[in-house]
């Protein structure tokens, strides 16, 4: 799969909330994920990535709206923006926009992602 095809699939799967398929089919086992909300947090490997997703789900009371942009694609990387209107179990309702950047290895797997506000 090309980087453009991977980017389009990430967008489509995020729009349909099919995160499991993204993890299972598009991520390398040694994925590195960086979160930059608050303090910079680095998560390494699929187990850590899945735990991060479970932690997000546990904090979330309700997802009101998610908008995923079209990707901006380079040879081995791409970026998309996420707009989310959410109610958190602690902290209440908030709207946020973040930029997600992804890097793709020669095997066609995402090996790095970073989210910034």
């Amino acid at each position: 799969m090309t980087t453009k095809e991977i980017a389009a699939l990430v967008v489509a799967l995020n729009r349909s909330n099919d995160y499991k398929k993204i993890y299972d089919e598009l991520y390398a086992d040694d994925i590195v994920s960086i979160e930059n909300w608050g303090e910079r947090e680095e998560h390494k490997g699929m187990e850590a990535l899945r735990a991060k997703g479970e932690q997000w789900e546990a904090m979330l009371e309700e997802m009101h709206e998610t908008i995923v942009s079209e990707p901006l694609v380079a040879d081995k990387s791409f970026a998309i923006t996420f707009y989310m209107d959410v109610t958190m179990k602690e902290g209440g309702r908030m709207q946020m926009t973040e930029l997600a950047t992804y890097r793709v290895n020669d095997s066609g797997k995402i090996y790095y992602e970073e989210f910034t506000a």
Side-chain angles (χ1 to χ4, degrees), residues 20-34:
K20 184 178 179 345
K21 189 169 184 176
I22 296 171
Y23 289 174
D24 292 345
E25 296 184 15
L26 300 176
Y27 282 66
D29 291 336
D30 60 348
I31 181 77
V32 174
S33 180
I34 309 293

Side-chain angles (χ1 to χ4, degrees), residues 17-53:
N17 297 317
D18 195 351
Y19 310 110
K20 184 178 179 345
K21 189 169 184 176
I22 296 171
Y23 289 174
D24 292 345
E25 296 184 15
L26 300 176
Y27 282 66
D29 291 336
D30 60 348
I31 181 77
V32 174
S33 180
I34 309 293
E35 288 285 347
N36 284 307
W37 286 99
E39 293 191 30
R40 181 179 165 95
E41 295 178 19
E42 185 173 297
H43 308 269
K44 293 183 179 181
M46 283 305 300
E47 186 175 319
L49 187 71
R50 289 181 196 283
K52 178 184 79 154

